[in-house]
Amino acid sequence: MENFFIYICIILVASILQTSTGFGFSIMATPFLLLLFAPSEAIQINIILSLIISLSLIMKVKKNIDTYLLKKLVLGSIMGLPLGGLIYITVDIKTFKLLISIILLLLTLMLIVNVRFKSTTARDYIVGGISGVLTISIGMPGPPLLIYFAGTNTGKEKTRATTLAFFLFIYLISLLSQLFLTGTDMLIWRSSLYAIPAVFIGLIIGQILFKYLNQQVFKIFTYILLGGTGIYLLIDSILS
């Protein structure tokens, strides 16, 4: 019962973050779900619930989607899927946690030092490819998009909308790929079903918060989210 309460709290907070920022669910949920589930279970639960969130929000944000950029991100992600699938079936839990922590801490550092660059077609494809690798391997497509949108100084509305639209595609493809590679089990689907009420409560709270998040608060919130999660996972991977 205690683990179930913790699980629901994780999903609720992650859903609020996803709705208010556009990227927070997998960054928040995956590391902490690893405390309760095996890696493959945590990743699939994360992907299933992220799909539900994206489906629920996509119609509300579609007017802010950068469709030209979205097409390039999608094409790039398809090229990254095979490598991500290989990582998914070979990486052990300790390496898995260490990999995520390093990625998050590097991204946080890049954001803090205010890295800036221009958006180019080649970079769009590369970012999409990296997201594709990370989605199927560790269930976290958000970090590359986050650093790219921050580096190109993209507004929060466009960031949230384009990210959600991309997630809708990449999570679906990644879930189908994982089902083909390693299958699934009833624990994953039962756990996902139990979490749906928390997801929708989080959606409501997150949409309210989004209205009051200015660009500066949005950035600070990003630093705390990425850095805190990265430090936690790094310590946990070293001590485990």
Side-chain angles (χ1 to χ4, degrees):
M1 182 59 70
E2 181 181 351
N3 283 349
F4 180 76
F5 176 74
I6 294 172
Y7 169 62
I8 294 301
C9 287
I10 292 170
I11 298 303
L12 176 62
V13 174
S15 299
I16 293 172
L17 293 177
Q18 176 69 44
T19 313
S20 58
T21 66
F23 59 83
F25 190 89
S26 60
I27 295 173
M28 171 70 186
T30 301
F32 291 101
L33 288 178
L34 288 172
L35 299 174
L36 305 175
F37 300 94
S40 60
E41 294 169 344
I43 294 171
Q44 285 193 20
I45 291 171
N46 166 45
I47 289 177
I48 292 167
L49 296 179
S50 294
L51 269 173
I52 293 173
I53 292 173
S54 298
L55 283 168
S56 301
L57 294 175
I58 193 65
M59 295 306 295
K60 294 183 179 181
V61 302
K62 66 177 184 177
K63 65 180 181 180
N64 294 316
I65 297 172
D66 185 334
T67 53
Y68 180 62
L69 172 59
L70 177 62
K71 291 177 182 178
K72 290 183 286 184
L73 291 175
V74 166
L75 289 174
S77 70
I78 293 173
M79 293 184 283
L81 289 177
L83 176 58
L86 179 62
I87 295 173
Y88 175 71
I89 61 178
T90 58
V91 174
D92 62 87
I93 180 64
K94 185 174 182 178
T95 306
F96 186 86
K97 290 181 179 179
L98 184 62
L99 175 64
I100 297 176
S101 69
I102 292 172
I103 290 171
L104 294 183
L105 290 174
L106 283 175
L107 292 182
T108 305
L109 179 62
M110 292 177 71
L111 287 171
I112 291 175
V113 299
N114 202 29
V115 174
R116 287 288 178 264
F117 41 79
K118 291 183 179 180
S119 174
T120 67
T121 296
R123 288 172 181 167
D124 293 343
Y125 283 119
I126 291 171
V127 170
I130 296 172
S131 291
V133 172
L134 294 182
T135 308
I136 191 171
S137 61
I138 62 176
M140 294 177 63
L145 296 179
L146 174 58
I147 190 64
Y148 193 54
F149 285 138
T152 54
N153 203 29
T154 305
K156 66 173 187 175
E157 290 82 5
K158 180 178 174 181
T159 294
R160 186 176 76 148
T162 307
T163 299
L164 280 171
F166 177 72
F167 285 174
L168 192 58
F169 167 81
I170 196 63
Y171 276 132
L172 178 60
I173 297 301
S174 295
L175 179 60
L176 294 175
S177 300
Q178 289 180 4
L179 294 179
F180 174 76
L181 290 171
T182 60
T184 187
D185 60 61
M186 286 305 300
L187 174 64
I188 293 170
W189 296 95
R190 283 200 307 269
S191 299
S192 300
L193 180 63
Y194 295 153
I196 289 177
V199 167
F200 283 106
I201 293 172
L203 291 181
I204 295 171
I205 297 173
Q207 289 182 79
I208 295 172
L209 289 177
F210 181 75
K211 297 177 182 178
Y212 299 99
L213 276 179
N214 61 43
Q215 197 71 19
Q216 189 59 35
V217 174
F218 186 80
K219 290 180 180 179
I220 294 173
F221 198 66
T222 299
Y223 302 157
I224 295 172
L225 176 65
L226 289 174
T229 306
I231 291 171
Y232 164 78
L233 277 179
L234 180 62
I235 294 173
D236 186 61
S237 64
I238 292 173
L239 296 179
S240 60

